[in-house]
Amino acid sequence: MPLLYQTFVLVRREKIKKIIVGHILPTGTVALVLKKLLRVQYIVSIHGLDINLTQASSRKRRLAKLIVRNAEKIIANSNYTKQALINACGCDATKVEIVYPCPNISYEPQEEKIVASIRDKYNLQNKKVILTVSRLVERKGHDKVIQALPKVLEKIPNAVYLIVGAGANLKYLKELVALLKLEDHVLFFTDIADTELPGFYQLADVFIMPSRKLAGGDIEGFGIVYLEANGFGKPVIAGRSGGAVEAVEDNVNGLVVDPESIIEIADALIKILSDEALSKRLGEAGKIRIAKKFNWFEQAKRLIALLS
């Protein structure tokens, strides 16, 4: 296979002593073979969904266990992912270290004229802005937020929901908006550049992504976007699922809800949007958490220790 050959050549040429692979399968297979051939140690970094993919067949399950057993260390992006790996592969818990992913976004405030241009272009003056930034896939929970919106509008009639991202669920979500007659309260942004994102975060009153576990095992391993929103001092709402509850501590930097409950989602939105003191407290606590823990300076020290 090309990946194995190219990696083999690179390891020999550069005299590489240790490899980090980003998934158990298929790249972990390459690392396992190179360990056998060249005695090169390897570390596997896991994210959540990749564990579930190893359970698709008995062959993949056996191979995953072999890869994990022969790895020098395993890096997990959350305690949830660590436990999922242990359950799936029988991994030695002492081999697994947690290195949290951190936001890669500039928190420098956008010029007011840029933020104002977005506000004016989309008629967001005097609106309570609800924001989700993510791929448009089922587990992210956009549909549940849309279904909760009529209840929110009863209490917060000037609420508007901005959905930033693209994906396979776009058509379905637009149909759902039309069915509920929410066209004036839900706006889609499918081609926003990373450089424009800070402006949307600054406009938001609350960030929400009620991720849920799907029948096939797809689940949120962590959730960097919650931290991105916190970095702008915004309160966040997460689904009680997977590693999201490590990114969001209930009533600390945000609220955690049952991701299948439209009522809980609506109540959480109403609670934050109608209570400025609560909103401010949650947002400021989120900024403090990032400064203390969820930043690359702190997490890189953990990674360096693993490599030394």
Side-chain angles (χ1 to χ4, degrees), residues 232-293:
F232 287 93
K234 307 300 178 177
V236 296
I237 300 172
R240 193 177 293 107
S241 174
V245 294
E246 293 172 61
V248 183
E249 292 184 69
D250 191 36
N251 207 37
V252 175
N253 62 314
L255 301 179
V256 179
V257 299
D258 177 353
E260 300 287 354
S261 172
I262 293 169
I263 292 175
E264 281 198 29
I265 291 169
D267 286 347
L269 284 168
I270 292 168
K271 187 175 183 179
I272 288 178
L273 292 175
S274 60
D275 189 335
E276 290 187 11
L278 173 66
S279 175
K280 183 177 180 180
R281 175 173 67 79
L282 296 176
E284 289 181 350
K287 292 184 73 171
I288 292 170
R289 285 176 87 238
I290 292 172
K292 288 184 175 180
K293 183 176 182 180

Side-chain angles (χ1 to χ4, degrees), residues 11-25:
V11 168
R12 289 288 298 271
R13 185 178 70 233
E14 303 296 333
K15 297 181 173 57
I16 292 171
K17 301 298 182 185
K18 191 174 296 186
I19 300 171
I20 300 179
V21 292
H23 299 88
I24 300 174
L25 297 174

Side-chain angles (χ1 to χ4, degrees), residues 12 17 67 113 140 160-161 209 211 251 279 282 292:
R12 289 288 298 271
K17 301 298 182 185
I67 291 167
K113 65 180 180 181
K140 300 292 186 179
V160 62
Y161 182 30
M209 192 175 77
S211 293
N251 207 37
S279 175
L282 296 176
K292 288 184 175 180

